[in-house]
Amino acid sequence: MKRLPIILAVTTALLAGVWFGARALRPYSFHGTIIQSPEPAPDFTLQSASGPVSPSDFRGKVTVLFFGYTFCPDVCPTTLADLAGAMRILGDEADEVQVVFVSVDPDRDTPERLAEYVGSFDPRFVGVTGNEDEVAAVAAVYGIFYEKHEGTPASGYLIDHTASAMVIDREGRLKLVLPFGIGPQDIAADLHELLK
Amino acid sequence: MRRIVVLVLLIGVVAAACGGSAGGIEVTDVWGRPSPSAATNAAFYMNITNGGDAPDQLVGASSPACSVTELHEMYMKDGGVMGMRPVQGGAVEIAPGATVEFKPGGLHVMCIGITEELKPGTTVPLTLTFEQAGDLQLEVEIRAN
């Protein structure tokens, strides 16, 4: 009977060990949608103000592709501000992250205009575009939908577009999709996990 | 005594700077983002509460910071595609007792053709026009990203 306290203590210790072990082994739960069997991200070349840019230039980093346009008043600034916030949260680790803003409005967004625009969110962000066919081809391989539609006389045409961002891992695989509006904290946590 | 009155008035003015109310309509948390370089458009957000007994409608907005101001809404289509359109009927219904949120990804006052840089920490004037409550003068707080 004297042994009972010892048995209890040992059992408790074992259970605690199993519990903590299981917790440590439990995989990180992403806020974005993880792609279970990631494929190599399709490569492309579009123009930035400082020359051609391809996702493969950033192999070894985590690359975030976001498609939008500078006339966009709501979704694009919100997402770029969230991504810039995530960069600040990541601190030094942010140097291992490259955000690329792809314009789906080649008629109005020049590489120079894009550089100014994205640079005011974070000087490390890159903005790229190409001619209509080039942009359409890039959007298609990434499953990005966009479509011009008439706005009002004042707004000019507007563009409906996929509001999620695509994340390419260090090995160049399309790994994660960040839905619109998840906020800088969750984006930073997901990127941090991919940087491990 | 006069000083206290002045002080109270001043506090009242400061407190009202970013919100306002008229005819049962109260508008709070009026904000926008700093304008990125090269940007031509912006969006303003707010909460509109109808504390009255009768329905009202937001029918228009204007600001010296915008060439044109329109009421827009974002809507989600299939596959994470977001579209933007002027609000249907050009007005936003504010039911009695309801609070309508204007927020990123939803309703916003679209500021088309910004006439000045929207700098963090500053405010820009905004007038909201309600069918019943009339005009409401507000200040949009430009919040740092």
Side-chain angles (χ1 to χ4, degrees):
Chain A
M1 213 48 204
K2 258 187 199 169
R3 284 196 187 151
L4 189 61
I6 299 167
I7 294 167
L8 272 175
V10 169
T11 313
T12 310
L14 277 173
L15 284 174
V18 167
W19 188 74
F20 279 111
R23 248 173 81 103
L25 288 173
R26 192 169 57 189
Y28 170 79
S29 174
F30 281 87
H31 302 280
T33 307
I34 204 83
I35 297 168
Q36 290 303 339
S37 319
E39 299 282 333
D43 207 22
F44 60 83
T45 303
L46 289 173
Q47 299 302 317
S48 79
S50 41
V53 168
S54 304
S56 54
D57 299 344
F58 310 118
R59 191 66 50 83
K61 289 187 176 188
V62 166
T63 306
V64 182
L65 298 180
F66 178 64
F67 294 71
Y69 63 120
T70 69
F71 279 68
C72 161
D74 181 63
V75 163
C76 309
T78 299
T79 302
L80 288 170
D82 285 352
L83 287 167
M87 296 289 276
R88 283 198 295 275
I89 293 167
L90 287 170
D92 289 345
E93 246 187 342
D95 293 335
E96 301 293 303
V97 174
Q98 181 61 55
V99 172
V100 180
F101 181 71
V102 182
S103 171
V104 292
D105 190 5
D107 289 347
R108 295 185 295 197
D109 288 340
T110 60
E112 291 70 29
R113 184 187 179 88
L114 284 166
E116 267 196 67
Y117 183 78
V118 299
S120 49
F121 292 94
D122 188 304
R124 293 166 289 193
F125 289 3
V126 169
V128 296
T129 189
N131 65 37
E132 216 159 299
D133 291 344
E134 288 167 337
V135 169
V138 171
V141 289
Y142 279 92
I144 301 293
F145 173 87
Y146 69 99
E147 185 179 54
K148 265 191 211 182
H149 70 89
E150 200 148 325
T152 58
S155 69
Y157 64 83
L158 302 170
I159 303 177
D160 296 349
H161 61 96
T162 305
S164 342
M166 306 289 163
V167 184
I168 301 170
D169 69 9
R170 286 185 191 271
E171 285 77 43
R173 298 171 304 181
L174 188 55
K175 184 69 182 169
L176 177 71
V177 180
L178 297 171
F180 170 74
I182 67 169
Q185 296 285 350
D186 290 354
I187 294 174
D190 278 10
L191 295 179
H192 170 74
E193 188 64 23
L194 287 186
L195 285 167
K196 276 184 182 169
Chain B
M1 188 60 194
R2 192 183 277 174
R3 270 199 199 159
I4 292 171
V5 171
V6 169
L7 194 65
V8 167
L9 282 174
L10 270 177
I11 290 169
V13 168
V14 171
C18 292
S21 60
I25 292 288
E26 193 185 8
V27 183
T28 55
D29 211 19
V30 191
W31 69 283
R33 294 182 191 283
S35 52
S37 311
T40 50
N41 302 329
F44 299 145
Y45 309 105
M46 67 218 66
N47 293 325
I48 304 175
T49 301
N50 185 351
D53 304 325
D56 204 343
Q57 284 193 339
L58 175 64
V59 292
S62 70
S63 170
C66 321
S67 304
V68 174
T69 314
E70 295 178 356
L71 306 176
H72 280 213
E73 63 182 341
M74 305 302 302
Y75 61 104
M76 186 66 91
K77 302 196 210 173
D78 289 344
V81 177
M82 294 198 81
M84 182 171 75
R85 63 187 170 204
V87 295
Q88 279 161 353
V92 179
E93 176 91 17
I94 320 287
T99 296
V100 176
E101 272 184 283
F102 283 56
K103 60 179 183 187
L107 288 161
H108 60 262
V109 171
M110 182 163 168
C111 173
I112 302 167
I114 50 174
T115 56
E116 56 182 288
E117 189 190 340
L118 308 177
K119 291 184 185 151
T122 64
T123 64
V124 294
L126 174 70
T127 303
L128 293 184
T129 304
F130 293 89
E131 194 183 50
Q132 303 300 326
D135 282 358
L136 209 53
Q137 315 289 340
L138 304 155
E139 291 288 330
V140 183
E141 186 188 333
I142 305 302
R143 294 185 187 160
N145 282 322

